[in-house]
Amino acid sequence: MTELHEDVSVADEPSPGPPTSEERLLRAATTLFSDKGFEATRTRDISTMAGLSPSAMYVHFPSKEDLLFQLVRRSNERALALVLSAVAPFTDPIDRVRALVREFSIMHARNFRRARIAQYESRHLSPEHHEVVAETRLQIRLAAIREVQNGIDQGVFLIPDPRVAVLAIMSLAVDICRWYSPDGEFTPAELGDINADLVLRILHAPGY
Amino acid sequence: MTELHEDVSVADEPSPGPPTSEERLLRAATTLFSDKGFEATRTRDISTMAGLSPSAMYVHFPSKEDLLFQLVRRSNERALALVLSAVAPFTDPIDRVRALVREFSIMHARNFRRARIAQYESRHLSPEHHEVVAETRLQIRLAAIREVQNGIDQGVFLIPDPRVAVLAIMSLAVDICRWYSPDGEFTPAELGDINADLVLRILHAPGY
């Protein structure tokens, strides 16, 4: 359970003061959805863990599905913002792809429980909510395709199909949340560097 | 639900005659565990879907956890057998790695629902059962390390740390089961070739 609370608290910028009811509910849902799964978690388990009554929960989230949606939506929006800000300081295509893969991978290690919910529980979203999340995911994919294509256009990367490289970027980073453990062989930063090296080899970037 | 039954039936060698009670239970559990998750599936849902009484189920499987164990154990044993038989016809390290990655990837596409259970639900196994499965997984990993190391020793692959290449082999193949859809962009065979190419690029194999 320690690992769990680390994952829940470490990830975001700490907010000043004690957590709001809404934050407590989101944290409880993160713990329970990643531990038991969305289907097996009861609404009252979430409110109890957050120290609230079931009716107090409905003030913030109309349903368990809405709580899931907020968690998955935030995860994906954070990932998109991270990908865009990671590349921003650089102009060289190698530096940009390196930063993108590194930060995206580190995120999936540091926030492995939230990432698991975003990846494995999102099939329980309503079609409308799924569409919102799919749009953000598409933006992440397009950002990665843009960076790879940019390197191809500048003659720095050599790969026939940028979609294939992006498949690898996504899989190598996302798959971390499946097997990552804070007690494991590699730290999040090491995994970030390993994946960046692997992707730049795939792209035949000079020097890799 | 069509996709689901395809995944359940297509995968194995068809057995002659109608399915046994045990097979019907394993198929029902595959459907329910991959759809709702292990925790949210009730034992009686499984027996009902298999057309058996709950007590008839206990003749074959003493508990829901045991059913999960049989599914995960079989998945992993099949994967190990596949990896070993895939490389067997070849002597060239490139051909061997290509066959290993290709078949391992195709397996995670064709049997995506069973692979999801093996990957995402195995945390619900008892410690003893988890150990059995972990041993088979280790054998798969060691087989892949052996193939990579063999190519390094023969001067065909150029990578400082074989563990890192094996991380990529595992992640690229396993991650397929997360997002694969029979209606998607790539067929299982195409994904097998894509991943084989990606891994051989990572290994700096000549010609890739």
Side-chain angles (χ1 to χ4, degrees):
Chain A
M1 294 293 280
T2 332
E3 145 205 333
L4 221 155
H5 287 293
E6 268 175 21
D7 181 48
V8 175
S9 59
V10 156
D12 279 332
E13 336 58 77
S15 38
T20 62
S21 303
E22 196 184 328
E23 282 172 324
R24 292 213 305 276
L25 287 163
L26 288 168
R27 288 184 193 182
T30 303
T31 302
L32 292 164
F33 290 165
S34 65
D35 203 33
K36 298 154 71 79
F38 174 78
E39 287 263 14
T41 300
R42 293 172 312 170
T43 310
R44 62 177 309 136
D45 301 334
I46 302 171
S47 54
T48 304
M49 187 180 262
L52 295 170
S53 69
S55 58
M57 172 177 148
Y58 290 112
V59 175
H60 301 283
F61 302 99
S63 67
K64 187 173 77 159
E65 191 273 340
D66 191 68
L67 242 171
L68 177 66
F69 172 55
Q70 296 307 328
L71 287 176
V72 178
R73 184 181 62 75
R74 285 171 188 220
S75 274
N76 280 283
E77 285 176 1
R78 264 193 302 260
L80 176 59
L82 184 83
V83 156
L84 298 176
S85 69
V87 300
F90 304 103
T91 48
D92 182 67
I94 295 181
D95 293 339
R96 287 175 68 94
V97 165
R98 171 150 214 106
L100 187 156
V101 176
R102 193 171 184 278
E103 294 307 316
F104 198 55
S105 297
I106 289 174
M107 181 190 196
H108 282 85
R110 283 217 189 111
N111 307 292
F112 66 100
R113 283 188 177 269
R114 291 206 294 209
R116 276 181 204 165
I117 295 172
Q119 296 301 334
Y120 310 147
E121 304 296 327
S122 64
R123 65 206 158 110
H124 300 296
L125 292 174
S126 72
E128 296 72 30
H129 286 163
H130 208 284
E131 221 171 280
V132 174
V133 168
E135 174 58 30
T136 311
R137 285 191 183 154
L138 179 63
Q139 293 304 321
I140 296 171
R141 235 178 107 82
L142 289 176
I145 290 177
R146 210 157 49 223
E147 296 306 326
V148 171
Q149 189 61 55
N150 181 31
I152 293 172
D153 294 344
Q154 294 194 36
V156 182
F157 301 150
L158 195 69
I159 190 151
D161 183 349
R163 287 178 317 160
V164 163
V166 170
L167 206 64
I169 291 174
M170 294 298 151
S171 281
L172 291 171
V174 170
D175 195 54
I176 290 175
C177 78
R178 177 180 59 85
W179 53 265
Y180 177 78
S181 153
D183 317 316
E185 207 169 345
F186 301 108
T187 65
E190 282 167 347
L191 289 170
D193 284 323
I194 286 172
N195 278 354
D197 285 347
L198 291 172
V199 168
L200 289 165
R201 278 174 165 250
I202 285 171
L203 293 169
H204 283 195
Y208 284 90
Chain B
M1 291 294 280
T2 332
E3 144 205 331
L4 220 155
H5 288 292
E6 268 175 23
D7 182 48
V8 176
S9 60
V10 156
D12 279 331
E13 339 52 80
S15 38
T20 63
S21 301
E22 196 183 328
E23 282 172 323
R24 290 213 306 276
L25 287 163
L26 288 168
R27 288 184 194 183
T30 303
T31 303
L32 292 163
F33 291 165
S34 66
D35 202 33
K36 297 155 71 80
F38 174 78
E39 288 263 13
T41 300
R42 293 172 312 169
T43 310
R44 63 177 308 136
D45 300 333
I46 302 170
S47 54
T48 304
M49 188 181 260
L52 295 169
S53 69
S55 59
M57 173 178 147
Y58 290 112
V59 174
H60 301 282
F61 302 99
S63 67
K64 186 174 77 160
E65 191 274 340
D66 191 68
L67 241 171
L68 176 66
F69 172 55
Q70 298 306 330
L71 288 177
V72 178
R73 185 180 63 73
R74 285 169 188 221
S75 274
N76 281 282
E77 285 176 1
R78 262 193 302 260
L80 177 59
L82 184 84
V83 156
L84 298 177
S85 70
V87 300
F90 304 103
T91 49
D92 182 67
I94 294 180
D95 293 340
R96 287 175 70 94
V97 165
R98 174 149 212 106
L100 188 156
V101 175
R102 193 171 183 278
E103 294 306 317
F104 197 56
S105 297
I106 288 175
M107 181 190 196
H108 281 86
R110 282 219 189 110
N111 307 291
F112 66 100
R113 284 189 176 266
R114 290 205 295 210
R116 276 181 204 166
I117 295 172
Q119 297 301 336
Y120 311 145
E121 303 297 328
S122 64
R123 65 205 159 110
H124 299 296
L125 292 173
S126 72
E128 296 73 28
H129 286 163
H130 208 283
E131 222 171 277
V132 174
V133 168
E135 173 57 30
T136 312
R137 284 191 184 155
L138 179 62
Q139 294 304 321
I140 297 171
R141 235 179 106 82
L142 289 176
I145 290 178
R146 213 157 47 226
E147 296 306 325
V148 171
Q149 189 61 55
N150 180 32
I152 293 173
D153 294 344
Q154 294 195 35
V156 182
F157 301 150
L158 195 71
I159 190 151
D161 184 348
R163 289 180 314 161
V164 163
V166 170
L167 205 66
I169 290 174
M170 295 297 151
S171 282
L172 290 172
V174 171
D175 195 53
I176 289 175
C177 78
R178 177 180 57 87
W179 54 264
Y180 177 78
S181 154
D183 316 316
E185 209 169 344
F186 301 109
T187 67
E190 282 167 347
L191 289 170
D193 284 322
I194 287 172
N195 279 353
D197 285 346
L198 291 172
V199 168
L200 289 165
R201 278 175 165 250
I202 284 172
L203 293 169
H204 282 195
Y208 284 90

